[in-house]
Amino acid sequence: MPAQPIPPAIPEAGPSFSPLYRQIKGLIIAGLQGGEWKAGESIPSEIELAQRFGVSQGTVRKAIDELAAENLLVRRQGKGTFVATHAEQQQQYRFLRLMPDEGQDPGLGRQLLDCKRQRAPAWIAKQLQMRAGDAMVEVRRLLHSAGRPVVLDDIWLPGNLFKGLTTERLSQHRGPFYGLFETEFGVHMIRAQEKIRAVAADAETAALLQVAEGTPLLSVERLSFTYGDKPVELRRGLYNTSTHFYRNDLN
Amino acid sequence: MPAQPIPPAIPEAGPSFSPLYRQIKGLIIAGLQGGEWKAGESIPSEIELAQRFGVSQGTVRKAIDELAAENLLVRRQGKGTFVATHAEQQQQYRFLRLMPDEGQDPGLGRQLLDCKRQRAPAWIAKQLQMRAGDAMVEVRRLLHSAGRPVVLDDIWLPGNLFKGLTTERLSQHRGPFYGLFETEFGVHMIRAQEKIRAVAADAETAALLQVAEGTPLLSVERLSFTYGDKPVELRRGLYNTSTHFYRNDLN
DNA sequence: GAGTGGTCTAGACCACCAC
DNA sequence: TGGTGGTCTAGACCACTCA
């Protein structure tokens, strides 16, 4: 009697078959994760990658297509394929959905309020997959539009990934934080989840945003991930939506 | 002296070159728009479409790939390619991003409050590309979770597209409104824009949502489009976010 | 087993960019 | 002019569904 194949202890939910182009995709992600190509740089041409991996150009192309659709890579005809970055003009504030009621450009100014190292409380540690009490960096800042404060951000980062992060470093830097994180700490934010609620401004928040206590604010809690679905930033923004709104496109 | 080519009066922003697969895509969209294939039905196979349009299967495939990425079509291996619909279990509430703090499934109950024909005020007419005073249908309803009201929706529809829409018709129908709109009125919602704000509950809203007046609520204003970027629904939802949140994924 | 979508290949040619 | 990504084709074979 032939031996029965051993069934897996837990029924697998994953795909039973992995096409070649997905394996190639995994190899390219590994290169990105390992720092073989840095943010803003070009990766090798499709033909070169095809030769390296021993597959056809079309297979590499399909792998890159998916990575471009996920905004990990950017294709530029005639020039090459580049590692996506948050530092460029066009990609600035890629994750910020705040829009002014009038006009197009957010055009926001930044004001750093605080940056200190703390021990992570349990509710933050859990989301960042750390242990309660682990080292953590806490940043607080305001975003201004036309001179008026619109957003109050609290940002929490794992201390071990952002060792040299100081108030000085942050205030000297131009452009979005995520650009600094890429160049200085090698941390790429590639994906995020936001939980949005309406809350009432407490006294401290009201003072900072120059609104009355109890004013309804948009609470935007964002958990950002790097390669391998590893959470590396927790952020809570409080938005004054009297002159701005959060824009979302559905399809 | 050779004649100069005449420059366009307005510099064209559009693409100077339209590949074959985009033209095929346009033909398929025209078929969808014209009702050749209805919501939930299958479209002809790739091979059949390739013969009909006189191109290779690969070209049809690329056109369908884009339409599937935009959620206009759904591919099912071994079965065929189907016109996307809001009426199916898996696709139910495709545009609703509300999630409970505990658990996964929203599991919402519906309560129809009102449905009447009105003349469109200017601010609604403008967004629906109608004239102020044109016929309009106004619907008001509540969504409940575990017996408690969570969402108050006001929905405005162009009167000429929804001629037979009555309270009876709406209350008898099971499943999402968008499913009814597809089957009864041939209107497919394929895309939407949302503007999200935090607002304070007024007296009437507070009573309906069973919260205190002034409670912060999420205001979600949604403009939905059908084929050809034609706006066909304006909706304003007021969400009580004490036990639920609006979820958004960024990448 | 027939029909569907999904993968992979090889090759030709086009559009765009930089030198 | 050469290199890059972008399009299009033709054909082989694989995975999935259903009768």
Side-chain angles (χ1 to χ4, degrees):
Chain A
M1 200 169 181
Q4 291 283 341
I6 300 168
I10 299 168
E12 303 242 354
S16 54
F17 161 74
S18 179
L20 195 47
Y21 75 88
R22 276 201 197 281
Q23 302 174 38
I24 303 301
K25 185 183 172 187
L27 291 173
I28 296 174
I29 289 177
L32 293 168
Q33 189 166 4
E36 185 168 357
W37 315 295
K38 299 203 175 4
E41 290 179 4
S42 72
I43 69 170
S45 74
E46 294 176 352
I47 293 174
E48 197 177 328
L49 287 173
Q51 288 168 346
R52 181 191 302 192
F53 297 135
V55 299
S56 78
Q57 187 186 353
T59 300
V60 170
R61 171 159 271 276
K62 189 148 189 182
I64 293 178
D65 278 344
E66 287 205 356
L67 291 167
E70 296 167 17
N71 292 311
L72 287 189
L73 297 176
V74 178
R75 320 190 74 141
R76 288 190 207 131
Q77 184 173 122
K79 299 175 78 172
T81 302
F82 299 78
V83 182
T85 172
H86 290 258
E88 288 173 16
Q89 281 293 9
Q90 292 196 344
Q91 289 279 52
Q92 235 176 78
Y93 297 119
R94 197 176 107 193
F95 285 174
L96 183 59
R97 301 299 187 89
L98 194 70
M99 299 287 292
D101 288 343
E102 312 289 339
Q104 288 278 346
D105 188 22
L108 297 169
R110 298 199 317 266
Q111 179 189 354
L112 189 62
L113 297 178
D114 198 10
C115 171
K116 58 191 176 203
R117 308 188 81 79
Q118 301 261 243
R119 300 209 163 272
W123 75 276
I124 293 177
K126 185 183 174 187
Q127 300 202 64
L128 291 177
Q129 292 178 7
M130 308 159 55
R131 287 196 211 93
D134 281 358
M136 175 193 80
V137 181
E138 180 176 307
V139 181
R140 171 167 270 212
R141 65 145 179 204
L142 281 173
L143 295 180
H144 295 260
S145 174
R148 302 183 67 85
V150 176
V151 176
L152 172 62
D153 269 330
D154 281 299
I155 302 170
W156 298 284
L157 303 160
N160 59 344
L161 291 180
F162 295 87
K163 283 226 164 77
L165 187 62
T166 61
T167 308
E168 258 199 326
R169 205 71 163 274
L170 276 174
S171 56
Q172 284 168 3
H173 179 258
R174 303 208 146 271
F177 282 177
Y178 289 168
L180 178 73
F181 294 170
E182 286 172 1
T183 55
E184 298 292 313
F185 302 96
V187 177
H188 290 54
M189 309 297 186
I190 61 175
R191 185 175 79 77
Q193 286 180 359
E194 291 190 330
K195 295 183 179 183
I196 303 170
R197 294 182 148 86
V199 300
D202 62 21
E204 185 185 3
T205 303
L208 287 167
L209 286 177
Q210 296 173 20
V211 297
E213 193 173 339
T215 300
L217 300 175
L218 214 60
S219 163
V220 180
E221 189 179 302
R222 179 195 297 169
L223 186 59
S224 301
F225 299 83
T226 186
Y227 303 107
D229 276 336
K230 187 185 173 192
V232 286
E233 184 205 50
L234 181 62
R235 179 184 288 222
R236 195 206 46 200
L238 293 171
Y239 298 9
N240 178 355
T241 56
S242 62
T243 59
H244 292 69
F245 60 91
Y246 183 106
R247 175 177 168 150
N248 197 23
D249 293 313
L250 308 176
N251 44 35
Chain B
M1 199 171 183
Q4 290 283 341
I6 300 168
I10 299 169
E12 303 244 354
S16 54
F17 161 74
S18 179
L20 195 46
Y21 76 87
R22 275 200 199 280
Q23 302 175 38
I24 302 301
K25 184 183 171 187
L27 292 173
I28 296 174
I29 290 177
L32 292 168
Q33 190 167 5
E36 185 170 357
W37 315 294
K38 298 202 174 12
E41 290 179 5
S42 72
I43 69 170
S45 73
E46 294 176 352
I47 293 173
E48 197 177 329
L49 288 173
Q51 288 169 347
R52 180 190 303 191
F53 297 136
V55 300
S56 78
Q57 187 186 353
T59 300
V60 170
R61 171 159 272 277
K62 187 148 189 181
I64 293 179
D65 278 345
E66 286 204 357
L67 292 167
E70 295 168 17
N71 291 313
L72 287 189
L73 296 176
V74 177
R75 320 191 74 143
R76 290 192 203 129
Q77 183 173 117
K79 298 175 79 171
T81 302
F82 298 79
V83 182
T85 171
H86 290 259
E88 289 173 15
Q89 281 292 9
Q90 293 197 344
Q91 288 280 54
Q92 235 176 79
Y93 298 119
R94 197 176 106 194
F95 286 176
L96 182 59
R97 302 297 187 90
L98 193 70
M99 299 287 292
D101 288 343
E102 312 289 338
Q104 288 279 346
D105 188 24
L108 297 170
R110 299 198 317 268
Q111 179 188 355
L112 188 63
L113 297 179
D114 199 9
C115 171
K116 59 192 175 203
R117 308 187 80 79
Q118 302 261 246
R119 302 210 162 270
W123 75 275
I124 292 178
K126 185 183 176 189
Q127 300 202 63
L128 292 177
Q129 292 179 8
M130 307 159 56
R131 288 196 209 93
D134 280 359
M136 174 193 80
V137 181
E138 180 176 306
V139 180
R140 171 167 271 213
R141 66 144 178 205
L142 282 173
L143 294 180
H144 295 262
S145 174
R148 302 183 67 84
V150 175
V151 175
L152 172 62
D153 269 329
D154 280 298
I155 302 171
W156 298 285
L157 304 161
N160 60 344
L161 292 181
F162 294 86
K163 283 226 163 78
L165 187 62
T166 60
T167 309
E168 259 199 324
R169 205 72 164 276
L170 277 174
S171 56
Q172 284 169 3
H173 179 257
R174 301 208 147 270
F177 282 178
Y178 288 168
L180 178 73
F181 295 169
E182 287 172 1
T183 55
E184 297 293 313
F185 303 96
V187 177
H188 290 53
M189 310 298 186
I190 61 175
R191 184 174 80 77
Q193 286 180 358
E194 291 191 330
K195 296 182 179 183
I196 303 170
R197 294 183 148 86
V199 301
D202 63 20
E204 186 186 2
T205 303
L208 288 167
L209 287 176
Q210 297 174 18
V211 296
E213 192 174 339
T215 300
L217 300 175
L218 215 60
S219 164
V220 180
E221 190 178 302
R222 179 195 299 169
L223 187 60
S224 301
F225 299 83
T226 187
Y227 302 107
D229 276 336
K230 187 184 172 196
V232 286
E233 183 206 50
L234 181 62
R235 180 183 287 222
R236 196 207 44 203
L238 293 171
Y239 298 9
N240 176 356
T241 56
S242 62
T243 59
H244 292 69
F245 61 91
Y246 183 105
R247 175 176 168 150
N248 197 22
D249 293 313
L250 309 175
N251 44 38

